[in-house]
């Protein structure tokens, strides 16, 4: 297994102040309290220097997912395998590595156009996490589970089969679940493929078989208790933000969550109680239902 975790995302925003307010006051993330030369702002969840990088831009969309490898050897092996398979791998320069607080990284685009930053050697921030809304902790791993990353991302993958092979054969993710959710009569087939990294989180990255204007279907962050999810839902409703799915529980990762639209149009899932899996004896599943209960969806389109 290659990928250790999904370490961070970079988000392009036409209103970084609005994104920072959403991140801190609604999601409860901590403003890392710095702005870089390009005007980027940073949101923390744990002892990583940031999990979300919010960058000023002309359009709102996901810019990149950062995938962490355990060491230089794992990382170099994947970069070499990508190059051998004909993918264009761009080495990151030292200033850009510093900006991401990593030892080294390289950029590659998947067959559906999603940008990945492959890295190793992340620096840590030793200042305690103080959530502005009193979140006790974000679930990103501990001494027993190791680093489980910030949560998960679901990426658009209209070139579904080649993109799936790219991740499972080269990047180093494993298949968790292949979901064909029930669709209304006449609607195109919908498919979501869930993949895990080398940590117990049921999925770190998933692929959706349709394009998406925000370059991401949703991002997920996880807290420790149902009350913290409920209180976040109260904050969403008080702020009048668009709710994209009511409270519910997913079947495959057991996540009890709701979905809210962030400023600029990225959907964020906010949940607790995500399943942890021992991958040693795991057999990937094929699902035909996404939810145990709830999650009444009102995603645009
Ligand atoms: Fe999700």
């Amino acid at each position: 297994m290659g990928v250790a975790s999904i370490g961070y995302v970079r988000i392009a925003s036409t209103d970084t102040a609005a994104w920072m307010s959403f991140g801190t006051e609604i999601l409860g993330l901590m403003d890392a309290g710095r702005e870089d030369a390009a005007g980027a702002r940073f949101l923390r969840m744990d002892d990583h220097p940031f999990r979300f990088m919010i960058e000023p831009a002309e359009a709102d969309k996901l810019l990149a997912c950062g995938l962490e490898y355990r060491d230089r050897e794992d990382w170099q092996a994947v970069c070499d395998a990508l190059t051998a398979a004909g993918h264009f791998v761009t080495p990151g320069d030292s200033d850009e590595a510093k900006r991401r607080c990593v030892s080294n990284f390289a950029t590659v685009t998947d067959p559906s156009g999603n940008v990945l930053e492959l890295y190793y050697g992340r620096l840590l921030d030793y200042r305690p996490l103080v959530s502005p809304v009193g979140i006790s902790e974000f679930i990103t791993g501990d001494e027993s589970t190791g680093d489980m990353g910030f949560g998960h991302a679901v990426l658009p993958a209209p070139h579904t089969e080649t993109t799936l092979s790219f991740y499972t054969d080269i990047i180093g993710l494993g298949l968790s679940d292949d979901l064909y959710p029930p669709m209304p009569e006449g609607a195109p087939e919908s498919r979501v493929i869930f993949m895990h990294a080398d940590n117990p989180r049921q999925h770190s990255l998933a692929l959706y078989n349709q394009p998406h204007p925000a370059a991401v279907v949703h991002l997920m962050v996880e807290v420790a208790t149902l009350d913290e999810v409920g209180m976040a839902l109260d904050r969403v409703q008080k702020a009048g933000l668009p709710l994209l799915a009511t409270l519910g529980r997913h079947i495959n990762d057991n996540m009890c969550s709701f979905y809210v639209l962030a400023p600029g149009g990225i959907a964020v899932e906010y949940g607790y109680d995500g399943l942890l899996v021992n991958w040693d004896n795991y057999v990937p599943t094929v699902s035909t239902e996404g939810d145990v209960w709830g999650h009444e969806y009102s995603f645009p389109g």
Side-chain angles (χ1 to χ4, degrees), residues 10-19 35-36 38-41 53-64 99 214 263-264 266:
R10 291 175 51 216
I11 292 169
S13 173
T14 53
D15 188 345
T16 53
W19 227 107
E35 181 174 327
D36 74 5
R41 306 279 300 275
M53 187 195 291
I54 315 295
E55 304 180 51
E58 301 282 310
D60 292 281
K61 62 171 190 163
L62 187 80
L63 284 176
R99 188 167 183 240
I266 290 180

Side-chain angles (χ1 to χ4, degrees), residues 152 154 194 203 218-220 250 253 255 257 259 269:
H152 65 238
V154 181
F194 299 86
H203 60 273
H218 73 260
L219 302 171
M220 192 281 301
H250 285 308
D253 71 349
M255 195 68 72
S257 58
Y259 291 67
E269 179 183 7

Side-chain angles (χ1 to χ4, degrees), residues 85-167:
H87 297 282
F88 194 70
V89 178
T90 310
D93 69 28
S94 61
D95 283 347
E96 285 294 319
K98 225 179 250 170
R99 188 167 183 240
R100 290 155 179 75
C101 308
V102 300
S103 298
N104 207 347
F105 78 104
T107 304
V108 69
T109 302
D110 80 14
S112 290
N114 302 297
V115 178
L116 305 176
E117 295 181 355
L118 314 177
Y119 72 90
Y120 67 90
R122 195 130 206 243
L123 308 181
L124 297 178
D125 188 329
Y126 300 100
R127 292 173 300 161
L129 183 86
V130 181
S131 164
V133 298
I135 301 298
S136 57
E137 61 173 326
F138 289 92
I139 304 302
T140 61
D142 55 29
E143 294 79 6
S144 61
T145 58
D147 183 7
M148 302 200 300
F150 76 80
H152 65 238
V154 181
L155 302 178
H159 303 291
T160 312
E161 291 300 336
T162 47
T163 308
L164 175 60
S165 305
F166 172 86
Y167 283 102

Side-chain angles (χ1 to χ4, degrees), residues 9-260:
V9 285
R10 291 175 51 216
I11 292 169
S13 173
T14 53
D15 188 345
T16 53
W19 227 107
M20 290 300 288
S21 296
F22 171 80
T24 53
E25 292 159 26
I26 304 294
L27 304 182
L29 304 170
M30 180 179 175
D31 183 346
R34 61 194 169 90
E35 181 174 327
D36 74 5
R41 306 279 300 275
F42 301 87
L43 289 163
R44 284 180 61 201
M45 298 173 77
D46 55 12
D47 60 359
H48 281 231
F50 69 89
R51 292 296 195 170
F52 289 7
M53 187 195 291
I54 315 295
E55 304 180 51
E58 301 282 310
D60 292 281
K61 62 171 190 163
L62 187 80
L63 284 176
C65 288
L67 299 181
E68 179 162 76
Y69 290 84
R70 295 210 185 283
D71 52 34
R72 185 182 173 91
E73 287 68 34
D74 279 9
W75 174 82
Q76 189 65 59
V78 170
C79 291
D80 291 347
L82 283 164
T83 304
H87 297 282
F88 194 70
V89 178
T90 310
D93 69 28
S94 61
D95 283 347
E96 285 294 319
K98 225 179 250 170
R99 188 167 183 240
R100 290 155 179 75
C101 308
V102 300
S103 298
N104 207 347
F105 78 104
T107 304
V108 69
T109 302
D110 80 14
S112 290
N114 302 297
V115 178
L116 305 176
E117 295 181 355
L118 314 177
Y119 72 90
Y120 67 90
R122 195 130 206 243
L123 308 181
L124 297 178
D125 188 329
Y126 300 100
R127 292 173 300 161
L129 183 86
V130 181
S131 164
V133 298
I135 301 298
S136 57
E137 61 173 326
F138 289 92
I139 304 302
T140 61
D142 55 29
E143 294 79 6
S144 61
T145 58
D147 183 7
M148 302 200 300
F150 76 80
H152 65 238
V154 181
L155 302 178
H159 303 291
T160 312
E161 291 300 336
T162 47
T163 308
L164 175 60
S165 305
F166 172 86
Y167 283 102
T168 55
D169 297 349
I170 312 177
I171 291 292
L173 294 169
L175 185 63
S176 307
D177 183 45
D178 197 349
L179 168 65
Y180 296 83
M183 296 300 286
E185 188 122 342
E189 181 184 71
S190 189
R191 182 182 178 194
V192 193
I193 304 164
F194 299 86
M195 300 175 295
H196 67 88
D198 189 15
N199 72 63
R201 203 189 280 287
Q202 197 268 350
H203 60 273
S204 292
L205 202 67
L207 305 174
Y208 178 59
N209 68 335
Q210 316 269 348
H212 196 290
V216 60
V217 181
H218 73 260
L219 302 171
M220 192 281 301
V221 298
E222 186 177 3
V223 290
T225 68
L226 177 60
D227 286 342
E228 286 170 324
V229 174
M231 286 187 278
L233 189 51
D234 282 352
R235 293 193 294 275
V236 164
Q237 286 173 331
K238 196 171 167 204
L241 293 168
L243 195 63
L244 298 181
T246 59
L247 194 66
R249 190 184 286 278
H250 285 308
I251 288 180
N252 68 9
D253 71 349
N254 200 53
M255 195 68 72
C256 180
S257 58
F258 67 86
Y259 291 67
V260 59

